């Protein structure tokens, strides 16, 4: 029995060079998005726990679960920024752009295309209709053009709209890498924060009469999300150059304190959003400062983990969250579809009790099972193939 379990564990091991604690943070982000969508499907309501004469309001940990997406962005900025920051610091050669782009394409598109094919087949076989109405929309789906019209469209799977934002960052990163020089961190911050502010301000002005969903998709296209990607890159710059950074910026010891400050900032921002979400699209302070503050908290947690904070490593580096992190991309892709299927069964229309506990009890194991299959059948083979291809290309490169 041990041998089969060990063989199965090999399928869910991390890629070489990955950091378990960061994989665990990614796993939490994916599960947090799932919890949020389950909370919405069950019927948004307050989640409170009585504590004597007061009640502890835990609603933000459900209602702000969409914040898992900015966590993904900060993690991408940090992890993908590391080799470019090392290059700018003079400790390695410049990353090969062809190899870098090939790896990014192989990481994102195969699982997406397989899911698109599965959904097309299910729609035709079960419902007798096409998931995509016409050839222009089919082309947009094939190119992942889930951007505001007229160029793009809303996707068949509602979570897909964030994928082109992530991939756009992959394309822009080699150019932003020149801002990762050790003494020019402030330029990185200025470029990313100014881009975010100008883009979001334009959305508020030019789309004032549009729906919230339309403004959401427009506001968080890459220019409007560069604050979170940029903070991740800043974290990579600080980590690579940690021996040169003043201690008042990046302490040599006391990583637990940095982790606690980061978590405090994350918790404070989600409660701030919970209290001020009605003002968000009015162009008020929260609209421009929430994601930078939240991203700063996430970046602090990442840095503290990378610099040896035992508390964060235990919290996010445990085997359960690391496993969720390994299959997190498939969790993200499939959870909304599974929730939709469960919704069609009427699971939330049965009985008088609040259905969120039952819904989570059903959707979490089901999504994990589907995500595991997707990882083993689709993601892992393509990751192995891209690794072999990259290795062969490197071996053929003249010395």
């Amino acid at each position: 029995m041990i041998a089969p379990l060990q063989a199965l564990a090999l399928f869910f091991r991390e890629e070489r060079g990955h950091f378990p604690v960061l994989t665990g943070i990614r796993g939490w982000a994916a599960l947090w998005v799932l919890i949020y969508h389950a909370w919405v499907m069950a019927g948004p309501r307050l989640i409170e726990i009585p504590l004597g004469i007061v009640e502890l309001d835990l609603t933000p940990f459900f209602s702000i679960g969409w914040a898992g997406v900015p966590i993904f962005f900060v993690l991408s900025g940090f992890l993908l920024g590391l080799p470019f920051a090392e290059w700018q610091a003079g400790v390695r050669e410049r990353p090969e752009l062809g190899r870098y782009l090939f790896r990014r394409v192989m990481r994102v598109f195969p699982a997406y295309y397989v899911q698109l094919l599965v959904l097309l087949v299910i729609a035709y076989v079960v419902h007798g209709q096409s998931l995509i109405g016409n050839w222009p929309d089919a082309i947009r789906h094939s190119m992942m053009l889930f951007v505001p019209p007229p160029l793009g469209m809303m996707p068949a799977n509602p979570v897909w709209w964030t994928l082109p934002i992530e991939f756009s960052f992959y394309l822009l990163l080699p150019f932003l890498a020149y801002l990762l020089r050790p003494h020019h961190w402030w330029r990185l911050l200025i470029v990313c924060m100014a881009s975010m502010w100008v883009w979001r301000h334009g959305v508020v002005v030019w789309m004032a009469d549009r729906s919230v969903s339309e403004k959401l998709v427009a506001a968080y296209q890459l220019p409007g999300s560069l604050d979170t990607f940029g903070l991740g890159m800043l974290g990579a710059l600080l980590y690579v150059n940690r021996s040169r950074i003043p201690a008042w910026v990046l302490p040599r010891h006391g990583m637990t304190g940095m982790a606690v400050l980061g978590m405090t900032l994350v918790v404070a921002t989600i409660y701030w959003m919970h209290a001020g979400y009605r003002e968000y699209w009015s162009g008020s302070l929260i609209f421009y400062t929430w994601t930078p503050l939240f991203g700063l908290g996430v970046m602090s947690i990442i840095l503290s983990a990378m610099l040896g904070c035992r508390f964060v490593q235990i919290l996010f580096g445990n085997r359960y969250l690391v496993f969720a992190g390994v299959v997190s991309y498939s969790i993200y892709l499939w959870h909304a579809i599974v929730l939709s299927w469960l919704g069609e069964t009427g699971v939330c229309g049965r009985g008088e009790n609040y259905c969120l506990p039952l819904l989570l009890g059903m959707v979490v194991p089901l999504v994990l099972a589907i995500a595991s299959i997707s990882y083993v059948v689709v993601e892992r083979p393509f990751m192995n193939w891209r690794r072999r291809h990259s290795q062969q290309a490197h071996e053929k490169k003249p010395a």
Side-chain angles (χ1 to χ4, degrees), residues 22 38 56 60 62 66 70 98 118 137 166 168 174 198 214 232-233 258 269 284 324 343 351 359 392:
L22 301 192
L56 179 62
F62 295 83
W66 47 263
V118 170
D137 287 352
E166 180 89 16
S168 298
V198 171
E214 290 177 302
M233 293 175 63
M258 177 183 287
T269 50
S284 60
L359 186 59
Q392 291 170 359

Side-chain angles (χ1 to χ4, degrees), residues 12-29 71 75 78-79 82 239 301-302 304-328:
F12 298 101
R13 70 186 186 278
E14 298 175 277
E15 287 192 272
R16 287 174 293 181
H18 282 202
F19 307 99
V21 65
L22 301 192
T23 302
I25 293 174
R26 184 183 293 107
W28 163 245
I71 295 177
L75 281 167
F78 182 85
L79 288 168
L82 277 177
Y239 178 73
I301 295 170
I302 290 172
S304 66
M306 294 294 292
L307 294 172
C309 177
R310 186 64 178 161
F311 169 65
V312 177
Q313 291 175 349
I314 291 174
L315 186 61
F316 293 107
N318 62 79
R319 67 179 68 180
Y320 306 105
L321 283 182
V322 170
F323 165 73
V326 169
V327 300
S328 59

Side-chain angles (χ1 to χ4, degrees), residues 54-95:
V54 299
E55 289 188 336
L56 179 62
D57 187 3
L58 298 180
T59 309
F61 293 97
F62 295 83
S63 64
I64 316 297
W66 47 263
V69 173
I71 295 177
F72 289 144
F73 292 168
V74 177
L75 281 167
S76 291
F78 182 85
L79 288 168
L80 298 180
L82 277 177
F84 289 99
E86 291 171 346
W87 163 53
Q88 290 289 357
V91 298
R92 64 164 290 168
E93 295 182 356
R94 178 181 178 177

